[in-house]
Amino acid sequence: MTDTNPAEEARALIACLDLTDLNDGSSEADVDALIERAQTPHGNVAAICIWPRFVAHAKARLPAGMKLATVVNFPDGGEDIEAVIAEAKQAIADGTDEIDYVIAYRRIDGDPGYAARQVEKLREAIGGVTLKAILETGELHDPALIEVAAVSALHGGADFLKTSTGRTQTSATLPAARILLRSILQDESGRALGFKPSGGIRSFEDARAYRDLADEVMGKGWATPETFRIGASGVLADLLAVADGKRAPGERPAGTGSAY
């Protein structure tokens, strides 16, 4: 978005944010606070992402137009697909719009078809609900395995490719993001697909870098809330600071020890 100013860019990034609270000790009060934060002076975020046990509570409080996302098989990426399906179906009954599913990423090396079949089973079980496949790219280490995971998830019917849970030593990285985006670009299914970097995105500069990469690979203007989400809990404050004109790009964000 070279033709826009930083405040406009920050507002556009807020609109692509999946504002997240997946803390182990999260409560209904925390979810209420998340919903309040999600309604900013510069527009609402795209979605909130919370634990399944809070979906019904949040659904009754969510403003019109904001999506509700939850996680299943999170964060371990286990292999009990029937348990995952049951959890997802309950979340859908409670009102979720989107399911973020951690694939069985440990099986990618040696048995990538397994992960694809698991995604396909979940896809069939949840119907048209948006399915984001979390690949845990930081644990795959080899770029070739990241590509295999991406293609496997897409073949299984995932609507979005998501980098990571944010619970591992390495979360989203730009090289991994490029692999996921290229896999989306090369997909021949004809389905509308999206991309979600998640984990370690803490500043306006971080978020903009992923947005710019998405537009570079997919074409300028591709990264909209329908195709591009940012999974983060802490970046909103910095996006608001830039949108308010309180911080210029390149300055140190408040509360950090580096330029980014």
Side-chain angles (χ1 to χ4, degrees), residues 213-226:
L213 177 63
D215 279 350
E216 174 196 330
V217 175
M218 303 301 297
K220 186 176 180 180
W222 179 84
T224 69
E226 289 71 38

PDB file of all heavy atoms in Angstrom, residues 213-226:
ATOM      1  N   LEU A 213       3.939  -8.868   2.016  1.00  0.00           N
ATOM      2  CA  LEU A 213       4.337 -10.117   1.385  1.00  0.00           C
ATOM      3  C   LEU A 213       3.148 -10.787   0.703  1.00  0.00           C
ATOM      4  O   LEU A 213       3.276 -11.301  -0.418  1.00  0.00           O
ATOM      5  CB  LEU A 213       4.944 -11.064   2.430  1.00  0.00           C
ATOM      6  CG  LEU A 213       5.346 -12.444   1.912  1.00  0.00           C
ATOM      7  CD1 LEU A 213       6.439 -12.347   0.861  1.00  0.00           C
ATOM      8  CD2 LEU A 213       5.804 -13.339   3.067  1.00  0.00           C
ATOM      9  N   ALA A 214       2.001 -10.773   1.367  1.00  0.00           N
ATOM     10  CA  ALA A 214       0.802 -11.372   0.766  1.00  0.00           C
ATOM     11  C   ALA A 214       0.452 -10.681  -0.539  1.00  0.00           C
ATOM     12  O   ALA A 214       0.140 -11.338  -1.547  1.00  0.00           O
ATOM     13  CB  ALA A 214      -0.359 -11.301   1.750  1.00  0.00           C
ATOM     14  N   ASP A 215       0.520  -9.356  -0.547  1.00  0.00           N
ATOM     15  CA  ASP A 215       0.215  -8.634  -1.780  1.00  0.00           C
ATOM     16  C   ASP A 215       1.282  -8.846  -2.848  1.00  0.00           C
ATOM     17  O   ASP A 215       0.990  -8.857  -4.046  1.00  0.00           O
ATOM     18  CB  ASP A 215       0.060  -7.147  -1.482  1.00  0.00           C
ATOM     19  CG  ASP A 215      -1.323  -6.800  -0.929  1.00  0.00           C
ATOM     20  OD1 ASP A 215      -2.215  -7.664  -0.957  1.00  0.00           O
ATOM     21  OD2 ASP A 215      -1.501  -5.648  -0.468  1.00  0.00           O
ATOM     22  N   GLU A 216       2.536  -9.023  -2.425  1.00  0.00           N
ATOM     23  CA  GLU A 216       3.606  -9.295  -3.392  1.00  0.00           C
ATOM     24  C   GLU A 216       3.377 -10.620  -4.104  1.00  0.00           C
ATOM     25  O   GLU A 216       3.493 -10.712  -5.332  1.00  0.00           O
ATOM     26  CB  GLU A 216       4.958  -9.313  -2.676  1.00  0.00           C
ATOM     27  CG  GLU A 216       6.121  -9.735  -3.576  1.00  0.00           C
ATOM     28  CD  GLU A 216       7.357 -10.115  -2.792  1.00  0.00           C
ATOM     29  OE1 GLU A 216       7.576  -9.561  -1.695  1.00  0.00           O
ATOM     30  OE2 GLU A 216       8.118 -10.985  -3.277  1.00  0.00           O
ATOM     31  N   VAL A 217       3.060 -11.654  -3.330  1.00  0.00           N
ATOM     32  CA  VAL A 217       2.907 -12.988  -3.919  1.00  0.00           C
ATOM     33  C   VAL A 217       1.578 -13.122  -4.661  1.00  0.00           C
ATOM     34  O   VAL A 217       1.526 -13.659  -5.777  1.00  0.00           O
ATOM     35  CB  VAL A 217       3.021 -14.067  -2.828  1.00  0.00           C
ATOM     36  CG1 VAL A 217       2.728 -15.453  -3.413  1.00  0.00           C
ATOM     37  CG2 VAL A 217       4.409 -14.049  -2.189  1.00  0.00           C
ATOM     38  N   MET A 218       0.507 -12.626  -4.057  1.00  0.00           N
ATOM     39  CA  MET A 218      -0.838 -12.875  -4.580  1.00  0.00           C
ATOM     40  C   MET A 218      -1.347 -11.769  -5.508  1.00  0.00           C
ATOM     41  O   MET A 218      -2.314 -11.982  -6.241  1.00  0.00           O
ATOM     42  CB  MET A 218      -1.807 -13.039  -3.415  1.00  0.00           C
ATOM     43  CG  MET A 218      -1.442 -14.145  -2.444  1.00  0.00           C
ATOM     44  SD  MET A 218      -1.350 -15.789  -3.208  1.00  0.00           S
ATOM     45  CE  MET A 218      -3.044 -16.005  -3.759  1.00  0.00           C
ATOM     46  N   GLY A 219      -0.718 -10.610  -5.452  1.00  0.00           N
ATOM     47  CA  GLY A 219      -1.167  -9.485  -6.250  1.00  0.00           C
ATOM     48  C   GLY A 219      -1.630  -8.348  -5.369  1.00  0.00           C
ATOM     49  O   GLY A 219      -2.256  -8.553  -4.325  1.00  0.00           O
ATOM     50  N   LYS A 220      -1.333  -7.128  -5.780  1.00  0.00           N
ATOM     51  CA  LYS A 220      -1.660  -5.956  -4.976  1.00  0.00           C
ATOM     52  C   LYS A 220      -3.156  -5.893  -4.698  1.00  0.00           C
ATOM     53  O   LYS A 220      -3.986  -6.061  -5.597  1.00  0.00           O
ATOM     54  CB  LYS A 220      -1.202  -4.686  -5.688  1.00  0.00           C
ATOM     55  CG  LYS A 220      -1.386  -3.432  -4.855  1.00  0.00           C
ATOM     56  CD  LYS A 220      -0.830  -2.206  -5.557  1.00  0.00           C
ATOM     57  CE  LYS A 220      -1.021  -0.959  -4.700  1.00  0.00           C
ATOM     58  NZ  LYS A 220      -0.482   0.260  -5.367  1.00  0.00           N
ATOM     59  N   GLY A 221      -3.495  -5.663  -3.437  1.00  0.00           N
ATOM     60  CA  GLY A 221      -4.890  -5.563  -3.044  1.00  0.00           C
ATOM     61  C   GLY A 221      -5.519  -6.887  -2.639  1.00  0.00           C
ATOM     62  O   GLY A 221      -6.681  -6.911  -2.228  1.00  0.00           O
ATOM     63  N   TRP A 222      -4.750  -7.985  -2.731  1.00  0.00           N
ATOM     64  CA  TRP A 222      -5.314  -9.296  -2.372  1.00  0.00           C
ATOM     65  C   TRP A 222      -5.609  -9.389  -0.890  1.00  0.00           C
ATOM     66  O   TRP A 222      -6.595 -10.016  -0.493  1.00  0.00           O
ATOM     67  CB  TRP A 222      -4.338 -10.401  -2.766  1.00  0.00           C
ATOM     68  CG  TRP A 222      -4.806 -11.784  -2.417  1.00  0.00           C
ATOM     69  CD1 TRP A 222      -5.644 -12.578  -3.149  1.00  0.00           C
ATOM     70  CD2 TRP A 222      -4.459 -12.544  -1.246  1.00  0.00           C
ATOM     71  NE1 TRP A 222      -5.848 -13.785  -2.513  1.00  0.00           N
ATOM     72  CE2 TRP A 222      -5.131 -13.792  -1.339  1.00  0.00           C
ATOM     73  CE3 TRP A 222      -3.651 -12.299  -0.138  1.00  0.00           C
ATOM     74  CZ2 TRP A 222      -5.006 -14.774  -0.365  1.00  0.00           C
ATOM     75  CZ3 TRP A 222      -3.530 -13.276   0.840  1.00  0.00           C
ATOM     76  CH2 TRP A 222      -4.210 -14.497   0.732  1.00  0.00           C
ATOM     77  N   ALA A 223      -4.777  -8.795  -0.065  1.00  0.00           N
ATOM     78  CA  ALA A 223      -4.865  -8.965   1.386  1.00  0.00           C
ATOM     79  C   ALA A 223      -5.994  -8.110   1.955  1.00  0.00           C
ATOM     80  O   ALA A 223      -5.823  -6.927   2.255  1.00  0.00           O
ATOM     81  CB  ALA A 223      -3.537  -8.619   2.048  1.00  0.00           C
ATOM     82  N   THR A 224      -7.152  -8.720   2.095  1.00  0.00           N
ATOM     83  CA  THR A 224      -8.329  -8.093   2.687  1.00  0.00           C
ATOM     84  C   THR A 224      -8.790  -8.982   3.844  1.00  0.00           C
ATOM     85  O   THR A 224      -8.315 -10.122   3.987  1.00  0.00           O
ATOM     86  CB  THR A 224      -9.467  -7.965   1.667  1.00  0.00           C
ATOM     87  OG1 THR A 224      -9.970  -9.284   1.353  1.00  0.00           O
ATOM     88  CG2 THR A 224      -8.976  -7.289   0.382  1.00  0.00           C
ATOM     89  N   PRO A 225      -9.726  -8.541   4.683  1.00  0.00           N
ATOM     90  CA  PRO A 225     -10.192  -9.404   5.776  1.00  0.00           C
ATOM     91  C   PRO A 225     -10.779 -10.736   5.311  1.00  0.00           C
ATOM     92  O   PRO A 225     -10.832 -11.688   6.081  1.00  0.00           O
ATOM     93  CB  PRO A 225     -11.260  -8.543   6.466  1.00  0.00           C
ATOM     94  CG  PRO A 225     -10.830  -7.138   6.190  1.00  0.00           C
ATOM     95  CD  PRO A 225     -10.273  -7.168   4.797  1.00  0.00           C
ATOM     96  N   GLU A 226     -11.193 -10.820   4.067  1.00  0.00           N
ATOM     97  CA  GLU A 226     -11.736 -12.083   3.551  1.00  0.00           C
ATOM     98  C   GLU A 226     -10.646 -13.087   3.223  1.00  0.00           C
ATOM     99  O   GLU A 226     -10.890 -14.300   3.217  1.00  0.00           O
ATOM    100  CB  GLU A 226     -12.579 -11.821   2.290  1.00  0.00           C
ATOM    101  CG  GLU A 226     -13.895 -11.131   2.552  1.00  0.00           C
ATOM    102  CD  GLU A 226     -13.738  -9.670   2.948  1.00  0.00           C
ATOM    103  OE1 GLU A 226     -12.840  -8.991   2.382  1.00  0.00           O
ATOM    104  OE2 GLU A 226     -14.497  -9.215   3.830  1.00  0.00           O
TER     105      GLU A 226
END
